[in-house]
Amino acid sequence: MRDLLDDDLRDGASNLLLDCVGMSKGDDVLLVGEDHRRAFFDTRVCQVLATAVRELGGRPHIVIAPETDGPENVPDEVAHVIDRMDHTIFVSRLGDQLRFREIEGSGTKTMCYLHDIEYLRNAFARVPYGALREVNELLQREIAARQHCRITCPEGTDLSGPVSGDAAVLEDFSVRLFPVMIVPPIEAGGLSGRLVLSRWLLSTSTHLYEDSFLTLPVPLVVWLEEGRIVGIDGEAEEVDRVRRHFESVASRSGGEAFRIHSWHAGTNPTTFFHGRAEDDIEKWADMVFGSPRYTHFHACGIAPGDVSISLFDTTVTFDGEDFWKCGRLAFLDRPEVRDLLGRYPGAGRALEMRCDIGI
């Protein structure tokens, strides 16, 4: 089994198991994989990580979870094992579904975005976790301290509003993310203006449901007033189709059909995607949300919402200062951030942004 690991894989696995998860010798580590028709993750990732756990003196356990339609229905064969583990690592969509919900058991919980072994071998998994975590925490503090936000994109989106009071809340995840991918969702209740819908509407991965992917052949303009959709402009047939989609999705879980709950943008410049987005749109979205090129909104139904609205190459300013600029994480240009990264050997790779995200 040792032959499963080369030096690059061992480096990525150690970054996950030691620096992110905090595994110690003798710990029990549960690896939750998946193997069903809508699976995103290769089960061989679990096998490679299990080998690394053994090398580091831990005890690996692998459970292959069945397809689950939402966080309310965690399979018993998974829930009963989690409760006995020191650490649980989800290499499956189940971790995505649980990221906004408390999980039983006192051990650590980590959602691992390694769709296949090549992601583990790449800088995506090997940039020091601690460095990206510190940058992300600093970014969150800076956002929370600001008063006003503006979001624009090349297709015509122009939203603005306060980031004080309820709109400043960053709702944290109940699982750690590996690698560090994104700031927690920022409340959208203060945003007003023009939001351009283009390309597609997707699921937020909180619930699995049929017809979650809606292609948009032409852009539509959505008008927001304090986080609520008050109008949609465009071809009448397409406007009607989008309205029906929001109403249908909201009817499954309750909540408001035309509410924008929150938004956030990717913070990991090493994010990339094999192939084209069109090959598997939802698998693509499950990875590229970590790219600074990608900003998305959670809409429709009960928070965090079940529809994801995609924007690309956005510029996001807080109090007039660019935090994201045309799809780059401009926050990384700050001298104090460069100094922070310099304290971690190998963290400079985080500045080498990849633009190959499948579009």
Side-chain angles (χ1 to χ4, degrees):
M1 291 292 287
R2 183 180 174 85
D3 292 341
L4 285 175
L5 294 183
D6 57 32
D7 288 343
D8 289 345
L9 291 177
R10 190 170 283 109
D11 186 26
S14 296
N15 194 28
L16 165 63
L17 296 171
L18 300 181
D19 298 339
C20 173
V21 171
M23 191 198 100
S24 299
K25 288 184 178 180
D27 282 355
D28 286 292
V29 180
L30 174 64
L31 300 160
V32 182
E34 63 180 6
D35 186 14
H36 50 74
R37 70 181 180 90
R38 293 196 282 192
F40 292 169
F41 295 83
D42 188 337
T43 56
R44 287 176 294 182
V45 176
C46 288
Q47 297 166 11
V48 169
L49 292 177
T51 301
V53 170
R54 290 190 192 95
E55 283 193 5
L56 294 169
R59 293 189 292 267
H61 309 263
I62 297 176
V63 170
I64 302 301
E67 185 176 52
T68 305
D69 59 7
E72 306 86 0
N73 300 310
V74 179
D76 288 342
E77 59 265 43
V78 177
H80 293 161
V81 181
I82 289 176
D83 196 46
R84 305 195 304 269
M85 293 292 121
D86 297 300
H87 310 284
T88 297
I89 301 173
F90 295 97
V91 193
S92 62
R93 297 184 75 178
L94 181 59
D96 263 338
Q97 293 173 325
L98 292 170
R99 69 194 188 281
F100 294 112
R101 181 170 294 240
E102 289 302 318
I103 308 170
E104 295 294 328
S106 59
T108 70
K109 319 294 192 306
T110 301
M111 175 61 208
C112 177
Y113 290 97
L114 302 174
H115 281 183
D116 59 46
I117 293 172
E118 287 309 306
Y119 282 101
L120 181 60
R121 177 177 282 116
N122 198 272
F124 179 71
R126 295 170 60 204
V127 170
Y129 172 81
L132 292 184
R133 186 194 65 235
E134 281 200 56
V135 170
N136 200 276
E137 290 171 350
L138 177 59
L139 178 57
Q140 290 180 52
R141 290 195 298 270
E142 286 288 333
I143 291 172
R146 300 301 174 114
Q147 299 298 310
H148 187 271
C149 173
R150 185 182 181 195
I151 303 170
T152 61
C153 83
E155 293 190 312
T157 291
D158 194 344
L159 298 170
S160 60
V163 286
S164 56
D166 290 342
V169 175
L170 286 82
E171 180 185 0
D172 211 348
F173 304 107
S174 60
V175 296
R176 301 174 188 177
L177 304 189
F178 181 86
V180 175
M181 297 286 274
I182 201 164
V183 290
I186 303 167
E187 290 291 325
L191 291 179
S192 299
R194 182 176 61 244
L195 173 61
V196 177
L197 307 186
S198 66
R199 298 179 185 257
W200 46 68
L201 298 176
L202 302 171
S203 161
T204 60
S205 294
T206 303
H207 294 90
L208 297 185
Y209 54 90
E210 297 298 332
D211 303 319
S212 60
F213 166 51
L214 186 71
T215 302
L216 303 174
V218 294
L220 302 175
V221 175
V222 166
W223 297 98
L224 295 188
E225 289 184 4
E226 296 184 342
R228 284 180 169 79
I229 297 173
V230 296
I232 306 177
D233 292 346
E235 293 185 6
E237 183 177 345
E238 293 304 317
V239 169
D240 184 59
R241 196 163 66 101
V242 166
R243 286 187 176 277
R244 290 199 309 270
H245 180 71
F246 276 101
E247 289 166 350
S248 173
V249 172
S251 70
R252 301 169 190 265
S253 59
E256 298 180 52
F258 301 104
R259 170 72 185 273
I260 307 293
H261 294 287
S262 58
W263 67 276
H264 48 176
T267 62
N268 191 327
T270 67
T271 302
F272 67 99
F273 186 74
H274 301 303
R276 303 176 308 160
E278 291 81 1
D279 295 337
D280 189 333
I281 290 291
E282 292 198 321
K283 181 177 181 178
W284 165 86
D286 186 73
M287 177 62 69
V288 303
F289 78 94
S291 171
R293 291 193 62 196
Y294 190 43
T295 298
H296 69 278
F297 290 76
H298 303 152
C300 189
I302 298 171
D306 286 310
V307 172
S308 176
I309 298 170
S310 305
L311 298 183
F312 299 94
D313 299 326
T314 57
T315 294
V316 181
T317 65
F318 291 95
D319 295 348
E321 179 183 350
D322 293 334
F323 279 48
W324 285 262
K325 177 69 172 178
C326 300
R328 283 186 61 254
L329 184 58
F331 188 77
L332 292 177
D333 296 334
R334 287 184 168 200
E336 67 270 30
V337 175
R338 296 295 180 108
D339 290 344
L340 188 163
L341 292 174
R343 298 200 301 267
Y344 289 84
R349 287 175 293 187
L351 301 173
E352 300 169 5
M353 180 168 170
R354 295 191 64 161
C355 294
D356 53 332
I357 63 167
I359 60 168

